[in-house]
Amino acid sequence: MNSSSCVAAGHDAQSALLNLCDTLRGLPEIAAKRAIQLAAAQAQEIAPMPLTLTQRYALPGDDCAAFAVADGYQLLAMEGMLPDFVRTDPRAAGWSSVMVNISDIAAMGGRPTAVVNAYWHADGAQAGELLSHMKRACDVFGVTFAGGHSSLREDYRPHLAVAIMGEARRLLSSYHVAAGQRLFMLTDLTGSWHGNLPYWGCVGGKTPEQIRAQWAVPAELAEAGLAVAAKDISNGGVLGTLIMMLELTGCGATLDLSAIPRPPGDLLRWLRAFQSYGFLLAVEPDKVSGLLNYFRASHLTCCPVGEITDSGTILLDDAGATCEFWNLQQQPLTGLGV
């Protein structure tokens, strides 16, 4: 390749990355996170200042609220399902409502204990299907299905919210993110796409014992001191998750797109995917070797993809092309954090 073709190739790579960043910034699933700003504003109004770190754990910010107890932390979280999802696919909505809560507990380095739900529905058969698949998911993950609130009336629109309790011996928290830490991505590439949707499922073909062991991995990492923070890659994809992971501390990050572990196929689809099992991890530099050793014989994939910085910006790198994807100081997403 001569020098002029190198310049052209570099220009094409830069243009492709700029276009990719524009597309990712415009994703509705990232924009939807701005609704959290209402809760963030309320939390800042009622919270006395300054707060200790333990007090911050119990407020909106992380995937779960964490309450210090004698031997660790009690965890509490809640997820709401999109009404159209509940109406059109009660089987998947019931299962997913439990699974996303399980992932929130895992992202805090915890283990789930019990689930409750509240639903409103107009169709008894569909409501029954919704409940049966919540129960099925609880049985698979080994969590108590502890009841909740049921409303059935023919003029209701389907709605579902599910809350979860868990416990953690040692907490993973986005409040622990600091410049100099390494950014890792943990994922399960043995999964598969769900139809044409940007959803990567990871439970198919696994026994309940294998599923429980897999979702306990973040807790094991926390207890071994191999990671200090985690965020599950859910709605918002890799970039939306990274923004929220950094926002609590105002840190920035570099992210090497070519280092991201992914299945064959479209990069954009993977970057925006809701991964049923996927986490971003913040790791102290002296724990990198131990983390890699932990996964040496695992079917899971855990790779370094970047570094935490003090820049307050997310800088993407792809084969030499670079682009500032997000400036957290100029564009708060959730309004949580500093």
Side-chain angles (χ1 to χ4, degrees), residues 2-321:
N2 59 35
S3 58
S4 60
S5 60
C6 285
V7 171
H11 177 75
D12 290 345
Q14 187 67 36
S15 296
L17 182 58
L18 291 172
N19 290 335
L20 178 63
C21 283
D22 285 342
T23 300
L24 291 167
R25 287 193 202 97
L27 291 177
E29 48 266 42
I30 291 180
K33 302 297 183 186
R34 296 188 190 282
I36 299 172
Q37 291 180 9
L38 288 172
Q42 290 288 323
Q44 289 167 0
E45 275 185 21
I46 62 175
M49 299 294 285
L51 297 174
T52 66
L53 185 56
T54 300
Q55 289 171 320
R56 289 180 181 274
Y57 288 153
L59 294 176
D62 269 313
D63 285 314
C64 300
F67 304 91
V69 294
D71 55 352
Y73 297 88
Q74 287 287 339
L75 304 177
L76 179 63
M78 186 175 191
E79 295 280 357
M81 297 290 103
L82 293 171
D84 284 346
F85 185 32
V86 177
R87 178 179 58 81
T88 60
D89 196 345
R91 175 189 175 98
W95 172 275
S96 299
S97 67
V98 173
M99 190 200 66
V100 294
N101 275 291
I102 300 279
S103 291
D104 283 341
I105 295 288
M108 299 294 292
R111 292 177 171 82
T113 54
V115 162
V116 293
N117 71 90
Y119 78 84
W120 292 258
H121 216 295
D123 186 297
Q126 287 195 5
E129 188 173 11
L130 197 65
L131 284 169
S132 72
H133 288 285
M134 279 189 270
K135 175 67 164 55
R136 180 172 67 91
C138 286
D139 291 343
V140 167
F141 282 98
V143 181
T144 300
F145 188 48
H149 171 87
S150 301
S151 283
L152 194 61
R153 208 170 76 182
E154 61 183 12
D155 60 337
Y156 282 161
R157 282 194 70 200
H159 289 84
L160 173 64
V162 173
I164 192 166
M165 291 182 62
E167 50 196 23
R169 297 170 194 157
R170 189 170 181 175
L171 208 58
L172 298 174
S173 169
S174 293
Y175 285 112
H176 302 163
V177 171
Q181 294 166 351
R182 304 297 186 260
L183 183 65
F184 275 70
M185 182 169 163
L186 168 61
T187 189
D188 181 359
L189 296 180
T190 69
S192 61
W193 292 110
H194 184 74
N196 293 322
L197 298 174
Y199 174 78
W200 183 256
C202 300
V203 299
K206 295 186 176 75
T207 67
E209 291 74 20
Q210 290 171 324
I211 290 170
R212 294 173 196 175
Q214 182 164 325
W215 261 262
V217 164
E220 294 178 3
L221 298 180
E223 290 157 10
L226 296 177
V228 296
K231 199 84 173 171
D232 62 310
I233 302 170
S234 55
N235 198 26
V238 173
L239 274 302
T241 300
L242 181 57
I243 294 170
M244 291 191 292
M245 185 178 188
L246 298 170
E247 202 167 19
L248 285 187
T249 60
C251 284
T254 59
L255 179 64
D256 183 354
L257 295 182
S258 63
I260 288 179
R262 63 187 179 103
D266 181 42
L267 174 62
L268 174 60
R269 187 184 189 190
W270 182 244
L271 290 177
R272 72 179 298 190
F274 187 123
Q275 298 184 33
S276 74
Y277 189 89
F279 299 88
L280 293 177
L281 305 174
V283 179
E284 297 291 358
D286 63 346
K287 301 297 182 182
V288 167
S289 176
L291 183 71
L292 294 174
N293 282 335
Y294 177 93
F295 289 102
R296 191 172 299 277
S298 173
H299 71 283
L300 300 173
T301 301
C302 188
C303 295
V305 295
E307 186 170 335
I308 306 297
T309 71
D310 60 3
S311 67
T313 63
I314 296 174
L315 184 67
L316 302 189
D317 183 301
D318 190 18

